[in-house]
Amino acid sequence: MASEHHKPPRQLGGELVIPIIAVGFTIYFFSTIWNSPWTAQVSAFMVGGFLLFVCAIFFVRCAVWLSRGEGSLGFGNLFTIEDIRTGRIGLLFTTIAYVMFIDTLGFTLMTFLFLAISMLILAKGKRPGFILMISGAMALTGWAVFIWAFDTRFPRGWFETMMKAVLANG
Amino acid sequence: MDSSTASILAEVFFETLGYWYIIIPTIFLGLIVGGIPGFSAANTIIILMPLTLALDLQSGLVFMISLYCSARMGAGIPAILVNIPGTAGAAATPLDGYPMAKQGKGQQALAISFVASCIGGLLTTMIALATMPILARVGFYMHSVEMIVVMLFGISLIASIAAQDMVKGLIAGFLGLMIGSIGTDVVYATPRATFGFLELYDGVPLIPALVGLFAVSEAFVIIEKRVIVNHTNEPKAPNWTDTFDGVRIALKRWVHIVWTSIIGLVIGVIPGAGASIASFVAYQQSRSFSKTPELYGTGHPEGLIAPESANNGVTSGTLVPLLVLGIPGGATAAIMLVVMQFHGVSFGPSLFEDQPKVGYGMFMAMAVSYVIMFLTILPLSRYMSHVTTVPTIYLAPMIIAFTLVGGFVPREYMFDMYLALAFGVLGYIARRTGYHVAAILIGVILGPLLEKYFLWSLKKSDGDIMVLFSSTLGNILWVAFAMSIILPIVFGMRRKRKLEVPAE
């Protein structure tokens, strides 16, 4: 019978992350407005107070599930070994690197490097030629549309400087 | 409408049709800039300002209006196909559009969205044209008290989204409201919860929040699958059947298109209110009075029609206060005002007497743009929908790269890219642990607006909370709001009872 099937315990550790962030942030928010005029406090105390109340309900609910053995403090719904196998962790590191170095290397070069490395990680090194080609094409299209045609203030590096000189001198 | 006005309208309509060579390329430009978070009609007109100013008055006007309409529609395309709204105005579109794409109905969803957008936009243009003097007064009657109720209509969508797990939904929504309160308060400019970052004094910028919560987190989730579309719904070869099905589904729900686009028109008329409020309010109202509210969020056509009709209804609404009163209803309208003033056009009541062709020309340019847009974009839905079949190993890095830099565009702060990344992490945790990112985003978008109107009301009344029930229109809106909350519950109970009767 279906009811007799063993149901894996709910991974409450993962589910508690957002409420813990919410509680921590609300307390920090309150600390910044404690001595402020009422205009800065009124809506934050109303919304924050309700948020703390709802989080408290969720904590009680989790405690009940834990006591009944229906849940565990695991993080299986948030981090698994699959995150390494699928390349998610690798993608996270390349994304952080993208944001950190785009200001130094410029939009075009950094976008090319990010796309190429991320795609190679996700594709587990397969079809490197194709990946390099589409990464280059996408980065150059981005440069042509956003920097050359629209003249947006995307971060500029040596590639953009070089192309500006090339275009200026014919 | 007298015969001279009718003849001016007809003349302007055919004149505008003659600018097809400007309208068609602008439509494609609008679809691109509308689809990339961070870009919009407003900043594209600013970027292309030298071109806009170099054009003659009529061409410049047609260019700006076409760009405005098509960018609004373009924002819905990535929202449907990859769960990334191009602008905050399309933030409610993926609620039902993306589930349709995942079910292999991307082409149908695009066709529904295009029909709803074009008919909604065209219809509200006609209504705005006919009722301009009345609509222009709406802005005068909508004060901070009335706006609080309008905001609550949108925010109550959190409760609808939270229906599956009320506690988690409310945590997500109220966390969004708290995040939306970051920055200085509107009365004394006291900084709150800024973590010491000057960049947060103006509040949390919307585009990095949108990019992080939707695009970045989605990119990290989709890599689990080979392609976006579910394995059980293998992509079909391009065909016209799905497009025509989408058109048929949308046209069958024409009443729905009409009333949700009118919601957009009325909200668009109010200066300061925008497409994001309109689309959330329209979605919430559509769900509240639907016979099948339980289908919303699962890929229900009505859940897609409502925000798309409403956000296109806003486009014509924003023109009304601009033309009649000289007050721009939004950022794009404000830029149009600057460009038109450069050409010597002065807005206000005298516009339709002094330069009737300019006044009516703006509405006609909008109508013609929607007609041409419908004819040019609808056939493309069969090709656009194939984005959902691009392997995620290529798609995910592209989404991250181009949306993160999109987060940089509006304010040009590197800080905003880090902020988008932080929201991406929050969005990813929320998705993996069963919290709705749309509920967080509703809070981030509508929270600061609600607070602003709330504080203004309290300030005006010296802190008397009863000011919220002090105006006739406000009280009518309160009753309507209460009805929109209570009636769906009553209808739902009645439906349940009806279903139980045969079983007994």
Side-chain angles (χ1 to χ4, degrees), chain B residues 72 84 110 138 167 231 300 320-321 338 464:
Chain B
R72 184 75 79 207
I84 301 165
L110 286 176
V138 172
V167 175
H231 292 301
H300 192 38
V320 175
V338 174
D464 180 9

Side-chain angles (χ1 to χ4, degrees), chain B residues 99-273:
Chain B
M100 283 187 83
K102 284 207 286 191
Q103 291 159 18
K105 295 179 190 165
Q107 192 178 332
Q108 210 179 72
L110 286 176
I112 291 172
S113 154
F114 295 158
V115 172
S117 299
C118 290
I119 295 182
L122 197 59
L123 182 84
T124 48
T125 305
M126 295 302 139
I127 296 173
L129 199 55
T131 58
M132 236 182 317
I134 303 162
L135 279 175
R137 280 191 222 149
V138 172
F140 285 126
Y141 295 121
M142 298 298 285
H143 304 296
S144 44
V145 171
E146 290 79 11
M147 286 307 291
I148 288 172
V149 197
V150 174
M151 295 297 139
L152 287 175
F153 270 107
I155 286 174
S156 65
L157 181 58
I158 291 173
S160 309
I161 288 174
Q164 283 179 330
D165 187 335
M166 186 60 86
V167 175
K168 284 170 104 173
L170 291 176
I171 290 173
F174 276 78
L175 175 61
L177 287 169
M178 281 305 278
I179 294 171
S181 304
I182 291 176
T184 53
D185 80 281
V186 291
V187 180
Y188 292 114
T190 315
R192 298 169 304 171
T194 58
F195 298 94
F197 292 113
L198 281 174
E199 291 89 341
L200 287 175
Y201 273 46
D202 284 341
V204 173
L206 283 188
I207 296 298
L210 188 81
V211 162
L213 288 172
F214 277 88
V216 177
S217 65
E218 182 66 25
F220 278 90
V221 171
I222 60 171
I223 55 174
E224 284 167 9
K225 298 196 290 182
R226 194 179 63 80
V227 290
I228 286 176
V229 73
N230 291 337
H231 292 301
T232 47
N233 302 295
E234 276 304 311
K236 293 173 266 182
N239 63 83
W240 286 107
T241 318
D242 278 359
T243 302
F244 289 128
D245 275 349
V247 174
R248 188 180 48 77
I249 290 167
L251 291 178
K252 216 173 144 186
R253 290 162 172 84
W254 65 271
V255 177
H256 210 77
I257 298 177
V258 171
W259 75 271
T260 49
S261 62
I262 291 173
I263 289 177
L265 173 67
V266 174
I267 292 179
V269 169
I270 305 164

Side-chain angles (χ1 to χ4, degrees), chain A residues 14-15 19 28-29 32-33 36 39-40 42-43 50 61 77 88 95 98 100 102 114 119 146 150 153-154, chain B residues 29 39 47 165 168 174 185 188 190 192-193 195 220 224 397 401 408-409 412 428 432-433 435 451 455:
Chain A
E15 287 188 42
Y28 165 68
F29 202 115
T32 63
I33 56 169
S36 301
T39 51
V42 60
S43 107
F50 186 77
R61 214 164 75 167
N77 48 358
R88 187 177 282 129
T95 305
Y98 182 63
M100 284 174 72
I102 194 168
F114 168 74
M119 286 178 190
F146 300 120
F150 278 78
R153 291 189 193 170
F154 276 10
Chain B
L29 176 67
F39 284 85
I47 290 166
D165 187 335
K168 284 170 104 173
F174 276 78
D185 80 281
Y188 292 114
T190 315
R192 298 169 304 171
F195 298 94
F220 278 90
E224 284 167 9
F408 166 85
V409 172
E412 296 175 353
Y428 177 75
R432 293 296 296 259
T433 55
Y435 294 86
E451 188 192 22
L455 287 180

Side-chain angles (χ1 to χ4, degrees), chain B residues 326-471:
Chain B
I327 302 166
T332 316
I335 297 158
M336 281 183 200
L337 178 82
V338 174
V339 174
M340 304 300 273
Q341 278 176 342
F342 172 83
H343 286 288
V345 177
S346 54
F347 290 97
S350 60
L351 175 71
F352 290 88
E353 283 176 22
D354 300 341
Q355 292 170 292
K357 274 192 168 183
V358 176
Y360 294 123
M362 290 185 84
F363 284 107
M364 279 300 133
M366 198 166 263
V368 170
S369 296
Y370 276 117
V371 171
I372 294 182
M373 216 152 56
F374 183 76
L375 300 173
T376 50
I377 304 304
L378 195 65
L380 294 180
S381 62
R382 60 184 283 189
Y383 305 107
M384 286 177 185
S385 64
H386 274 250
V387 169
T388 55
T389 64
V390 173
T392 56
I393 54 171
Y394 306 124
L395 196 60
M398 286 185 208
I399 289 172
I400 292 172
F402 287 100
T403 55
L404 273 181
V405 287
F408 166 85
V409 172
R411 306 198 303 173
E412 296 175 353
Y413 292 163
M414 278 309 296
F415 175 84
D416 289 353
M417 284 183 75
Y418 286 99
L419 195 63
L421 190 58
F423 271 108
V425 173
L426 181 70
Y428 177 75
I429 296 170
R431 279 172 198 274
R432 293 296 296 259
T433 55
Y435 294 86
H436 216 300
V437 289
I440 303 178
L441 189 71
I442 292 168
V444 175
I445 293 175
L446 300 185
L449 296 170
L450 178 70
E451 188 192 22
K452 182 175 80 178
Y453 292 119
F454 183 59
L455 287 180
W456 280 352
S457 304
L458 288 183
K459 192 72 188 153
K460 276 190 269 185
S461 65
D462 280 335
D464 180 9
I465 196 86
M466 291 313 287
V467 71
L468 299 181
F469 308 102
S470 61
S471 87

Side-chain angles (χ1 to χ4, degrees), chain B residues 465-481:
Chain B
I465 196 86
M466 291 313 287
V467 71
L468 299 181
F469 308 102
S470 61
S471 87
T472 312
L473 181 60
N475 290 341
I476 293 169
L477 286 171
W478 276 117
V479 172
F481 176 63

